[in-house]
Amino acid sequence: REKDWNVIGVDMVAPNKIQQLLGAEKKWASRFEFHQMNITDKEAIQALRDLIKRSDTVVNLAAICNPSEYIKQPVNTINSNFTDAQDCINFCVELNKHLIHFSTCEVYGRTLKSYGLDGNDEKNWLLD
């Protein structure tokens, strides 16, 4: 059964990448508002807060979901899946908003050493 919820979408991706969600022919298109924004940019912080203030619930889906990237770029993965969302999380707490935070579909896996990566290399320390 369809709900009459309004949805605000925020992503770094250009709107043409999600055109299937934005098309005016969709019966719910008038209830979907999209903002192209990098939430890690300091200039975007106030705009992000304003959008969260207008919301009842925030669903954070930003994450690197590619196992090969977990190994190649462990720090970027942690940043994308958690650290970069810190302002969003803090605004939800400050404004008393519900937050549903997805970080990744995979939590467990092989260790870095099992891939033969150097445990003395600083970029591998966080996940080793």
Side-chain angles (χ1 to χ4, degrees), residues 52 55-59 92-93 95-101:
I52 291 172
S55 305
D56 295 317
T57 301
V58 173
V59 180
C92 288
V93 171
L95 299 168
N96 198 30
K97 303 298 180 175
H98 296 281
L99 172 65
I100 301 169
H101 178 84

Side-chain angles (χ1 to χ4, degrees), residues 22-68:
L22 303 175
E25 74 282 356
K26 306 290 187 190
K27 61 183 175 181
W28 43 265
S30 65
R31 295 185 284 118
F32 184 77
E33 177 184 332
F34 178 75
H35 298 266
Q36 184 176 4
M37 176 189 312
N38 180 344
I39 66 168
T40 65
D41 287 346
K42 294 304 172 197
E43 300 81 34
I45 299 302
Q46 186 58 47
L48 177 65
R49 186 184 185 282
D50 293 344
L51 291 172
I52 291 172
K53 188 174 185 176
R54 293 176 36 210
S55 305
D56 295 317
T57 301
V58 173
V59 180
N60 180 22
L61 302 172
I64 293 175
C65 296
N66 182 336
S68 68

Side-chain angles (χ1 to χ4, degrees), residues 101-116:
H101 178 84
F102 291 88
S103 115
T104 182
C105 59
E106 295 189 26
V107 177
Y108 305 103
R110 293 173 58 185
T111 65
L112 293 174
K113 285 185 181 178
S114 72
Y115 287 96

